[in-house]
Amino acid sequence: MDTRSRSFIYLSSFLFFVAITTWFVLPTKYHYDEHYATESKPAFSAPKQNVWAELTEVEAEQIYDFVYAQRPELNLVRRPKSALENSIYILETLRPNKSDAVPYLFDDGDVPQRWAKAVLALNVDDTPSLVYHAVGPLPISKESQILPLTFPFNSGRNDVKSEIKDYQAIIEFGDSLGQSISDITQELLGATVNPNSEDGLLCLPRPSRVATGGLVLWFQFFRPGLGSGGRTLLPQGIYVKVNATSLDQNDWTAGPFFYNGVIYDDVEDFRVAIKNSALKKTPPNLDGSWTDTENFDAKPDGRELPPPISVQPYGARYKVDKKEKYVSWFGFEFYITTAQATGLTLYDIRFKGERVIYELGLQEAMAHYAGDDPMAGGQEFLDTFFGMGKNMYELLPGYDCPAYADYMDTHYHMAHETHELPNSICVFEYTADHLLSRHTAQYSVTASRNTYLIVRSTSTVGNYDYAIDYIFYMDGAIEVKVRASGYIFAAFYRSNKTEGEDEYGHRIGEAVSSSVHDHVINFKADLDVAGPTNDMVRLALEPLTKSYDWDQPEVKERNTMHLVEYGVNEETGLDWPKNSGEFFIVYNSEERNAWGQRRGYRITSGTGMGSTPHLTIENSTTLGDSARWAEHDIWVLRQKDTEPRSADPLNYLAPIDPIINFNAMADHESLEHGAPDTTYDGDLVVYFNLGSHHIPHSGDVPNTLMHTSGSSVMFIPHNFHDRDPSRESVQGVRLQIDGKKYGGGFRGQEEDARADLRSRGEKKPKANYFGATYEESMKLPLEAFEPDLEKGYKTKKHEVTDLNFNGSAAGVWMVD
């Protein structure tokens, strides 16, 4: 596939996973062939229909036919061959309003009507436009309609126009431009642009500079990085400005040129400087083994042995209804669905039958760069535009997820095709390398294993892979975690010394520099803590100087600390407090635990590389109003059916006037409820950000490492229960190190009364286990240790996302 066509994303067909049967021995209870592989699991079904599920292929075909029949005046074609032809670009589920879903989930109401969202790529007044429509109810019948979809967008419109009239023409112009200055590129870079050669230079535009009234682009040269896909590590030092504001490509002009910190007015000025040695040459940024992501030849001590792994010899303890994508595990229950732009979303999360979160899912993933060259200086990405869902590629068994994980396929509908994504979601239980709790007493020691459930997907958008985890703990805590890996988008390193040479990054190679950038990844959590009527407070731990009667006369005043509660009474953005001196807690306004305390969940920055960030840049020139959610760490808003998302993927095409402006959502409406003069019922939504301030260094070459890029936010029960509920589910041991009855023994129990406690057969056990233990050895196949990926990986080929303008999303024709 030509590198210049990589923006058109397609997936290949896939092979079925095949197990092998080479046996190994591990200590557990059953033989693998008697239990692990062949024992049938009890049937498990979701209690309700998954009303958020993606469209089936049958539904999609019906919708395509219906729209063609209902809108003949649009002359829709299945396979557009030019930007002048209209087509149906995207079909997916229009998720039901919460006000329609909740009666079905909790009050035995009717199943919400099922509708689809259709994005039509239309040529309107010679301008490509993407227009949202609603189609339904489904299945298609005489009552079905196609209507403008407007209610989710606060811009007052349901379309986005694109200044990118012809993406292919832009790419072809870059090829032509590069060939026209082949003498310059050969002299300075040692290579030329050649579309017919796999190792020729690429001349590609910066993705973010879209100007009202037409395009003004900066092109930069890159080496393709064929050995490893590391093109973003291989920028070259020549930049060209192109005025593409005219509709006629023949009127486009190239220049000025930028090289080694100097601007040249036009190509002849540039050539003269080269001929007269009036410029200082910089070394070209050459590909080589330094961009390879693996080393097959190194043999450090220990590499001759495989690493430890986790196994699940008795089978899964969680239950999955794969048809409805419903999961149950130790009190947690929830539904899974996906979308092309945002990937995974979880719905109706309950713990031990109690409502916790109605909706939890990704909204947008933004990366914003800074630099003193024309590429890095204005570069940003809003990755849902490229498709966090349709780039959820197949997970590697035994690597992305344990070999024993359960895998789910997903699919999406684009350009009149249904695309299957095999094994793109995994679900598994895992035991951490640290305990959930432990205590050593005088005569005993107790240890409780820390086992949790993970739902994982990985989205590969251009140069970066984002692994997204939803993690569930036995105490009712929920964690959302993102880790990133892949190639950084580097900058060219200029060899002339300047005062600010380390102002935007570090030199990390012969002719390459890192580019400082912020990752801000936005999620929505529609909290229903013990029900929908909730309040948010800031519970602050503050210093205090106070006199106490019992201190007198020795201490007149005592310096101490106390708790002070501040209500969050209006829609607002908050930042994580200094010294972690505040707790952000969402309480149920009406429900209390056995001790009279309000039942709540605390929201806190979780595990990873420090506190989760917000955007450093203030009033970004490039982003405009397209990502105002990135300006604070966490937001609290009223829940509204008309505000289902904080962002839209098409904001990328219209950043100054986006189709969803978050500022119009977070508009300081009151969060007080219950008074006669308000219709607000206390149903609130939290938007929170993950990510990092990424200052890439030499350790990011060739790839950023996941353990240095992880960030998370946790939702932790806060007086939600009467006691720690994990005691009912956790596995562990109490080791009696002395036979004393008290002080760490078994309070109130005589020695002989403990004989029925779980042990390994001793009459008077010393080790007393709570939960099951492994009792006998069993056989496991080699596949449980190291899956055969040559047989078990279905995907034949991945299409690589081009991080330039995505041609299909810009409303141009599709290229096979």
Side-chain angles (χ1 to χ4, degrees):
M1 182 180 183
D2 191 290
T3 306
R4 281 151 289 276
S5 299
R6 288 177 179 169
S7 60
F8 305 100
I9 306 169
Y10 296 99
L11 296 176
S12 306
S13 59
F14 307 94
L15 298 172
F16 188 74
F17 186 89
V18 180
I20 62 173
T21 56
T22 304
W23 304 109
F24 267 55
V25 176
L26 265 190
T28 88
K29 190 172 183 180
Y30 302 104
H31 292 294
Y32 181 91
D33 55 349
E34 295 174 353
H35 175 82
Y36 194 87
T38 61
E39 181 175 307
S40 61
K41 296 180 180 179
F44 175 71
S45 299
K48 299 268 187 174
Q49 176 183 331
N50 186 339
V51 296
W52 310 276
E54 185 49 274
L55 300 174
T56 67
E57 187 169 3
V58 172
E59 287 177 319
E61 286 298 327
Q62 291 178 350
I63 295 165
Y64 282 125
D65 292 342
F66 178 74
V67 175
Y68 294 143
Q70 292 293 309
R71 301 300 300 271
E73 75 281 5
L74 295 177
N75 296 314
L76 297 167
V77 299
R78 297 190 176 205
R79 297 287 183 183
K81 294 183 173 58
S82 79
L84 300 178
E85 293 185 316
N86 299 332
S87 65
I88 302 172
Y89 173 47
I90 287 173
L91 283 184
E92 63 184 12
T93 299
L94 179 59
R95 295 173 183 173
N97 292 334
K98 184 179 182 182
S99 59
D100 294 324
V102 165
Y104 169 67
L105 295 172
F106 300 102
D107 301 323
D108 293 324
D110 294 335
V111 179
Q113 281 191 341
R114 188 158 166 80
W115 285 68
K117 176 170 62 180
V119 183
L120 305 187
L122 303 178
N123 177 44
V124 180
D125 298 327
D126 200 33
T127 299
S129 297
L130 293 171
V131 187
Y132 283 102
H133 290 80
V135 182
L138 304 178
I140 295 297
S141 67
K142 293 180 179 179
E143 286 72 40
S144 298
Q145 307 174 71
I146 176 169
L147 305 170
L149 178 60
T150 56
F151 76 86
F153 310 114
N154 57 24
S155 60
R157 66 185 196 277
N158 67 324
D159 69 305
V160 172
K161 293 179 173 57
S162 174
E163 300 295 343
I164 308 167
K165 306 292 193 299
D166 192 337
Y167 174 75
Q168 194 66 21
I170 294 175
I171 298 301
E172 290 170 358
F173 185 87
D175 291 342
S176 176
L177 170 63
Q179 290 170 325
S180 71
I181 61 168
S182 59
D183 57 323
I184 294 176
T185 62
Q186 186 65 51
E187 174 70 20
L188 298 180
L189 305 179
T192 62
V193 170
N194 183 353
N196 298 316
S197 171
E198 289 190 343
D199 57 358
L201 294 173
L202 308 174
C203 184
L204 299 173
R206 187 179 72 197
S208 55
R209 185 64 178 104
V210 181
T212 302
L215 293 177
V216 178
L217 306 167
W218 275 98
F219 281 76
Q220 183 178 10
F221 290 84
F222 293 83
R223 280 185 159 81
L226 292 176
S228 55
R231 191 256 290 173
T232 57
L233 270 183
L234 296 166
Q236 308 302 307
I238 300 176
Y239 309 81
V240 189
K241 189 176 184 179
V242 173
N243 185 325
T245 55
S246 172
L247 295 177
D248 187 349
Q249 185 178 335
N250 293 321
D251 295 333
W252 292 4
T253 57
F257 288 70
F258 182 84
Y259 179 79
N260 205 9
V262 180
I263 296 177
Y264 302 91
D265 291 337
D266 53 39
V267 68
E268 292 308 319
D269 188 21
F270 195 17
R271 282 193 172 106
V272 168
I274 297 171
K275 182 178 180 181
N276 296 335
S277 300
L279 56 73
K280 181 180 179 182
K281 292 184 180 180
T282 63
N285 185 14
L286 302 176
D287 201 356
S289 61
W290 67 279
T291 67
D292 291 343
T293 56
E294 58 282 307
N295 186 331
F296 292 102
D297 299 322
K299 296 179 180 180
D301 190 28
R303 203 180 188 188
E304 73 279 4
L305 296 174
I309 60 164
S310 179
V311 296
Q312 181 181 269
Y314 283 9
R317 303 195 303 174
Y318 55 86
K319 299 174 183 177
V320 180
D321 179 345
K322 291 190 177 182
K323 180 177 179 293
E324 296 294 341
K325 287 188 167 60
Y326 179 78
V327 179
S328 175
W329 176 80
F330 283 108
F332 273 113
E333 299 169 308
F334 53 88
Y335 293 88
I336 298 171
T337 192
T338 56
Q340 294 189 39
T342 55
L344 274 177
T345 299
L346 310 186
Y347 277 97
D348 190 19
I349 301 173
R350 308 188 201 189
F351 184 65
K352 296 189 179 297
E354 300 256 23
R355 296 166 68 172
V356 177
I357 299 178
Y358 171 77
E359 177 186 356
L360 181 62
L362 176 74
Q363 303 293 293
E364 184 58 272
M366 181 266 290
H368 200 323
Y369 290 72
D372 59 356
D373 68 61
M375 181 63 76
Q379 184 161 262
E380 51 79 29
F381 300 110
L382 297 174
D383 284 338
T384 65
F385 175 77
F386 304 101
M388 295 288 282
K390 64 186 179 185
N391 289 303
M392 275 172 46
Y393 294 132
E394 184 172 5
L395 299 165
L396 289 164
Y399 290 85
D400 280 309
C401 315
Y404 58 77
D406 271 293
Y407 294 86
M408 298 184 195
D409 302 339
T410 59
H411 60 275
Y412 66 93
H413 312 283
M414 187 179 79
H416 211 93
E417 287 188 9
T418 296
H419 301 262
E420 297 291 339
L421 300 172
N423 298 333
S424 51
I425 301 171
C426 72
V427 180
F428 62 94
E429 191 179 15
Y430 200 79
T431 300
D433 62 352
H434 62 281
L435 293 172
L436 184 65
S437 64
R438 81 178 311 281
H439 180 63
T440 299
Q442 185 174 7
Y443 302 115
S444 68
V445 57
T446 300
S448 298
R449 285 190 169 122
N450 184 13
T451 307
Y452 43 80
L453 184 80
I454 298 179
V455 179
R456 174 173 294 164
S457 66
T458 295
S459 298
T460 303
V461 184
N463 55 317
Y464 254 41
D465 295 53
Y466 297 94
I468 301 176
D469 288 358
Y470 297 93
I471 309 171
F472 300 87
Y473 295 90
M474 286 186 170
D475 66 333
I478 302 168
E479 184 176 11
V480 183
K481 189 160 192 172
V482 175
R483 299 177 181 89
S485 186
Y487 290 99
I488 63 171
F489 208 119
F492 185 77
Y493 181 80
R494 302 200 300 269
S495 58
N496 53 327
K497 297 290 185 181
T498 64
E499 289 184 4
E501 75 174 318
D502 289 330
E503 188 176 359
Y504 300 103
H506 305 300
R507 185 179 184 183
I508 55 175
E510 181 66 25
V512 64
S513 171
S514 70
S515 277
V516 61
H517 56 283
D518 279 354
H519 290 283
V520 187
I521 304 168
N522 190 240
F523 286 81
K524 176 183 179 179
D526 183 345
L527 288 143
D528 286 351
V529 177
T533 307
N534 290 171
D535 292 299
M536 187 172 185
V537 302
R538 296 161 40 224
L539 183 64
L541 185 63
E542 297 182 351
L544 173 70
T545 300
K546 186 175 181 177
S547 294
Y548 299 95
D549 292 342
W550 46 264
D551 251 343
Q552 309 304 320
E554 292 82 10
V555 179
K556 291 185 169 29
E557 288 186 328
R558 181 173 293 275
N559 293 327
T560 183
M561 59 186 174
H562 67 154
L563 295 174
V564 182
E565 184 175 294
Y566 301 96
V568 181
N569 298 320
E570 66 175 32
E571 296 181 327
T572 190
L574 301 168
D575 295 332
W576 301 119
K578 179 182 177 181
N579 194 34
S580 301
E582 291 184 359
F583 284 17
F584 298 155
I585 303 173
V586 173
Y587 284 121
N588 187 285
S589 308
E590 301 164 350
E591 296 288 329
R592 295 180 180 259
N593 68 10
W595 320 117
Q597 299 297 305
R598 291 165 296 174
R599 303 178 65 196
Y601 261 75
R602 178 189 173 193
I603 309 169
T604 179
S605 190
T607 60
M609 294 291 290
S611 296
T612 57
H614 57 269
L615 183 62
T616 304
I617 298 168
E618 297 178 357
N619 294 314
S620 166
T621 309
T622 307
L623 286 175
D625 287 329
S626 64
R628 294 292 181 182
W629 45 263
E631 295 176 348
H632 289 285
D633 297 327
I634 185 171
W635 300 80
V636 56
L637 278 69
R638 290 185 178 191
Q639 191 282 326
K640 296 180 181 178
D641 286 346
T642 55
E643 294 178 349
R645 294 199 57 213
S646 62
D648 187 85
L650 298 187
N651 280 5
Y652 191 58
L653 292 176
I656 307 304
D657 184 22
I659 193 170
I660 294 179
N661 186 338
F662 189 74
N663 271 352
M665 295 170 57
D667 55 358
H668 300 284
E669 287 186 276
S670 172
L671 294 176
E672 298 187 40
H673 56 92
D677 59 344
T678 180
T679 58
Y680 174 60
D681 60 1
D683 193 358
L684 58 80
V685 171
V686 167
Y687 290 94
F688 62 94
N689 292 322
L690 304 184
S692 64
H693 302 302
H694 195 179
I695 306 172
H697 57 94
S698 58
D700 285 276
V701 178
N703 279 178
T704 293
L705 304 178
M706 285 192 169
H707 72 285
T708 64
S709 66
S711 64
S712 82
V713 160
M714 297 187 76
F715 299 84
I716 302 172
H718 192 89
N719 290 324
F720 188 81
H721 314 289
D722 300 335
R723 291 281 189 270
D724 170 23
S726 72
R727 293 195 305 170
E728 302 171 6
S729 306
V730 73
Q731 317 281 105
V733 64
R734 182 166 187 157
L735 183 64
Q736 196 71 21
I737 55 179
D738 192 287
K740 301 294 184 182
K741 183 164 52 176
Y742 301 112
F746 289 85
R747 187 178 301 280
Q749 292 184 341
E750 296 297 331
E751 193 80 16
D752 291 342
R754 290 188 276 113
D756 61 342
L757 295 173
R758 296 207 60 254
S759 71
R760 291 194 181 272
E762 298 179 25
K763 184 177 180 181
K764 295 181 179 179
K766 182 177 181 181
N768 298 274
Y769 300 90
F770 42 98
T773 58
Y774 294 104
E775 300 294 332
E776 301 173 8
S777 63
M778 66 168 286
K779 291 181 179 180
L780 282 176
L782 178 60
E783 188 74 11
F785 299 87
E786 190 77 48
D788 186 350
L789 295 177
E790 290 187 2
K791 297 179 179 178
Y793 190 73
K794 299 180 183 181
T795 305
K796 291 286 191 179
K797 177 182 178 182
H798 291 308
E799 300 301 342
V800 179
T801 316
D802 191 341
L803 289 179
N804 296 284
F805 292 114
N806 182 295
S808 56
V812 303
W813 69 94
M814 308 296 292
V815 174
D816 290 330

